[in-house]
PDB file of all heavy atoms in Angstrom:
ATOM      1  N   ARG A 153      72.813  71.724  31.494  1.00  0.00           N
ATOM      2  CA  ARG A 153      74.194  71.320  31.783  1.00  0.00           C
ATOM      3  C   ARG A 153      74.488  71.604  33.244  1.00  0.00           C
ATOM      4  O   ARG A 153      74.330  72.727  33.714  1.00  0.00           O
ATOM      5  CB  ARG A 153      75.162  72.081  30.887  1.00  0.00           C
ATOM      6  CG  ARG A 153      74.974  71.769  29.412  1.00  0.00           C
ATOM      7  CD  ARG A 153      75.887  72.623  28.550  1.00  0.00           C
ATOM      8  NE  ARG A 153      77.288  72.333  28.826  1.00  0.00           N
ATOM      9  CZ  ARG A 153      77.960  71.320  28.274  1.00  0.00           C
ATOM     10  NH1 ARG A 153      77.354  70.510  27.427  1.00  0.00           N
ATOM     11  NH2 ARG A 153      79.228  71.106  28.564  1.00  0.00           N
ATOM     12  N   LEU A 154      74.890  70.559  33.978  1.00  0.00           N
ATOM     13  CA  LEU A 154      75.113  70.699  35.416  1.00  0.00           C
ATOM     14  C   LEU A 154      76.513  70.224  35.764  1.00  0.00           C
ATOM     15  O   LEU A 154      77.138  69.478  34.997  1.00  0.00           O
ATOM     16  CB  LEU A 154      74.075  69.881  36.196  1.00  0.00           C
ATOM     17  CG  LEU A 154      72.617  70.349  36.055  1.00  0.00           C
ATOM     18  CD1 LEU A 154      71.671  69.327  36.647  1.00  0.00           C
ATOM     19  CD2 LEU A 154      72.419  71.711  36.706  1.00  0.00           C
ATOM     20  N   PHE A 155      76.991  70.677  36.924  1.00  0.00           N
ATOM     21  CA  PHE A 155      78.330  70.330  37.355  1.00  0.00           C
ATOM     22  C   PHE A 155      78.276  69.977  38.841  1.00  0.00           C
ATOM     23  O   PHE A 155      77.859  70.794  39.657  1.00  0.00           O
ATOM     24  CB  PHE A 155      79.266  71.526  37.112  1.00  0.00           C
ATOM     25  CG  PHE A 155      80.715  71.172  37.148  1.00  0.00           C
ATOM     26  CD1 PHE A 155      81.219  70.180  36.316  1.00  0.00           C
ATOM     27  CD2 PHE A 155      81.584  71.824  38.013  1.00  0.00           C
ATOM     28  CE1 PHE A 155      82.571  69.847  36.338  1.00  0.00           C
ATOM     29  CE2 PHE A 155      82.936  71.497  38.045  1.00  0.00           C
ATOM     30  CZ  PHE A 155      83.425  70.507  37.200  1.00  0.00           C
ATOM     31  N   LEU A 156      78.651  68.763  39.178  1.00  0.00           N
ATOM     32  CA  LEU A 156      78.628  68.329  40.579  1.00  0.00           C
ATOM     33  C   LEU A 156      80.058  68.139  41.062  1.00  0.00           C
ATOM     34  O   LEU A 156      80.856  67.457  40.411  1.00  0.00           O
ATOM     35  CB  LEU A 156      77.823  67.028  40.697  1.00  0.00           C
ATOM     36  CG  LEU A 156      77.351  66.608  42.094  1.00  0.00           C
ATOM     37  CD1 LEU A 156      76.568  67.706  42.792  1.00  0.00           C
ATOM     38  CD2 LEU A 156      76.502  65.338  42.005  1.00  0.00           C
ATOM     39  N   THR A 157      80.369  68.766  42.177  1.00  0.00           N
ATOM     40  CA  THR A 157      81.714  68.687  42.758  1.00  0.00           C
ATOM     41  C   THR A 157      81.585  68.222  44.214  1.00  0.00           C
ATOM     42  O   THR A 157      80.477  68.227  44.762  1.00  0.00           O
ATOM     43  CB  THR A 157      82.393  70.066  42.760  1.00  0.00           C
ATOM     44  OG1 THR A 157      81.667  70.918  43.664  1.00  0.00           O
ATOM     45  CG2 THR A 157      82.397  70.697  41.373  1.00  0.00           C
ATOM     46  N   PRO A 158      82.695  67.869  44.846  1.00  0.00           N
ATOM     47  CA  PRO A 158      82.613  67.536  46.275  1.00  0.00           C
ATOM     48  C   PRO A 158      81.989  68.682  47.073  1.00  0.00           C
ATOM     49  O   PRO A 158      81.166  68.447  47.956  1.00  0.00           O
ATOM     50  CB  PRO A 158      84.082  67.322  46.659  1.00  0.00           C
ATOM     51  CG  PRO A 158      84.752  66.881  45.401  1.00  0.00           C
ATOM     52  CD  PRO A 158      84.046  67.629  44.300  1.00  0.00           C
ATOM     53  N   GLU A 159      82.361  69.918  46.740  1.00  0.00           N
ATOM     54  CA  GLU A 159      81.847  71.070  47.489  1.00  0.00           C
ATOM     55  C   GLU A 159      80.333  71.223  47.296  1.00  0.00           C
ATOM     56  O   GLU A 159      79.598  71.495  48.246  1.00  0.00           O
ATOM     57  CB  GLU A 159      82.570  72.357  47.053  1.00  0.00           C
ATOM     58  CG  GLU A 159      84.045  72.421  47.468  1.00  0.00           C
ATOM     59  CD  GLU A 159      84.975  71.559  46.597  1.00  0.00           C
ATOM     60  OE1 GLU A 159      84.551  71.160  45.491  1.00  0.00           O
ATOM     61  OE2 GLU A 159      86.115  71.280  47.021  1.00  0.00           O
ATOM     62  N   THR A 160      79.869  71.053  46.031  1.00  0.00           N
ATOM     63  CA  THR A 160      78.425  71.160  45.771  1.00  0.00           C
ATOM     64  C   THR A 160      77.671  70.072  46.519  1.00  0.00           C
ATOM     65  O   THR A 160      76.616  70.316  47.111  1.00  0.00           O
ATOM     66  CB  THR A 160      78.119  71.001  44.259  1.00  0.00           C
ATOM     67  OG1 THR A 160      79.138  71.642  43.516  1.00  0.00           O
ATOM     68  CG2 THR A 160      76.772  71.544  43.901  1.00  0.00           C
ATOM     69  N   SER A 161      78.201  68.846  46.470  1.00  0.00           N
ATOM     70  CA  SER A 161      77.524  67.727  47.134  1.00  0.00           C
ATOM     71  C   SER A 161      77.403  67.979  48.640  1.00  0.00           C
ATOM     72  O   SER A 161      76.355  67.710  49.236  1.00  0.00           O
ATOM     73  CB  SER A 161      78.291  66.428  46.875  1.00  0.00           C
ATOM     74  OG  SER A 161      77.757  65.376  47.648  1.00  0.00           O
ATOM     75  N   MET A 162      78.459  68.526  49.247  1.00  0.00           N
ATOM     76  CA  MET A 162      78.398  68.808  50.690  1.00  0.00           C
ATOM     77  C   MET A 162      77.374  69.911  50.978  1.00  0.00           C
ATOM     78  O   MET A 162      76.631  69.845  51.955  1.00  0.00           O
ATOM     79  CB  MET A 162      79.774  69.224  51.228  1.00  0.00           C
ATOM     80  CG  MET A 162      80.840  68.143  51.188  1.00  0.00           C
ATOM     81  SD  MET A 162      80.367  66.597  51.998  1.00  0.00           S
ATOM     82  CE  MET A 162      80.182  65.548  50.566  1.00  0.00           C
ATOM     83  N   GLN A 163      77.339  70.928  50.092  1.00  0.00           N
ATOM     84  CA  GLN A 163      76.368  72.017  50.265  1.00  0.00           C
ATOM     85  C   GLN A 163      74.939  71.462  50.198  1.00  0.00           C
ATOM     86  O   GLN A 163      74.072  71.813  50.999  1.00  0.00           O
ATOM     87  CB  GLN A 163      76.578  73.078  49.178  1.00  0.00           C
ATOM     88  CG  GLN A 163      75.564  74.220  49.220  1.00  0.00           C
ATOM     89  CD  GLN A 163      75.685  75.045  50.493  1.00  0.00           C
ATOM     90  OE1 GLN A 163      76.733  75.613  50.762  1.00  0.00           O
ATOM     91  NE2 GLN A 163      74.626  75.091  51.304  1.00  0.00           N
ATOM     92  N   ILE A 164      74.690  70.565  49.220  1.00  0.00           N
ATOM     93  CA  ILE A 164      73.342  69.995  49.073  1.00  0.00           C
ATOM     94  C   ILE A 164      72.979  69.178  50.323  1.00  0.00           C
ATOM     95  O   ILE A 164      71.899  69.341  50.898  1.00  0.00           O
ATOM     96  CB  ILE A 164      73.256  69.092  47.818  1.00  0.00           C
ATOM     97  CG1 ILE A 164      73.552  69.898  46.550  1.00  0.00           C
ATOM     98  CG2 ILE A 164      71.876  68.451  47.715  1.00  0.00           C
ATOM     99  CD1 ILE A 164      73.804  69.040  45.317  1.00  0.00           C
ATOM    100  N   GLN A 165      73.901  68.319  50.755  1.00  0.00           N
ATOM    101  CA  GLN A 165      73.586  67.453  51.906  1.00  0.00           C
ATOM    102  C   GLN A 165      73.447  68.263  53.197  1.00  0.00           C
ATOM    103  O   GLN A 165      72.681  67.903  54.086  1.00  0.00           O
ATOM    104  CB  GLN A 165      74.656  66.367  52.057  1.00  0.00           C
ATOM    105  CG  GLN A 165      74.681  65.406  50.864  1.00  0.00           C
ATOM    106  CD  GLN A 165      75.683  64.275  51.046  1.00  0.00           C
ATOM    107  OE1 GLN A 165      75.426  63.332  51.780  1.00  0.00           O
ATOM    108  NE2 GLN A 165      76.813  64.357  50.377  1.00  0.00           N
ATOM    109  N   HIS A 166      74.172  69.368  53.263  1.00  0.00           N
ATOM    110  CA  HIS A 166      74.042  70.273  54.411  1.00  0.00           C
ATOM    111  C   HIS A 166      72.642  70.898  54.411  1.00  0.00           C
ATOM    112  O   HIS A 166      71.985  70.990  55.446  1.00  0.00           O
ATOM    113  CB  HIS A 166      75.125  71.348  54.325  1.00  0.00           C
ATOM    114  CG  HIS A 166      75.039  72.388  55.388  1.00  0.00           C
ATOM    115  ND1 HIS A 166      75.224  72.101  56.718  1.00  0.00           N
ATOM    116  CD2 HIS A 166      74.773  73.723  55.313  1.00  0.00           C
ATOM    117  CE1 HIS A 166      75.082  73.225  57.423  1.00  0.00           C
ATOM    118  NE2 HIS A 166      74.807  74.211  56.595  1.00  0.00           N
ATOM    119  N   THR A 167      72.172  71.313  53.235  1.00  0.00           N
ATOM    120  CA  THR A 167      70.832  71.902  53.123  1.00  0.00           C
ATOM    121  C   THR A 167      69.759  70.849  53.432  1.00  0.00           C
ATOM    122  O   THR A 167      68.748  71.147  54.060  1.00  0.00           O
ATOM    123  CB  THR A 167      70.619  72.489  51.709  1.00  0.00           C
ATOM    124  OG1 THR A 167      71.651  73.438  51.455  1.00  0.00           O
ATOM    125  CG2 THR A 167      69.261  73.157  51.579  1.00  0.00           C
TER     126      THR A 167
END
Side-chain angles (χ1 to χ4, degrees):
R153 296 176 63 83
L154 295 169
F155 196 56
L156 196 54
T157 66
E159 291 77 17
T160 322
S161 172
M162 294 306 109
Q163 177 65 60
I164 299 167
Q165 295 183 77
H166 176 65
T167 303

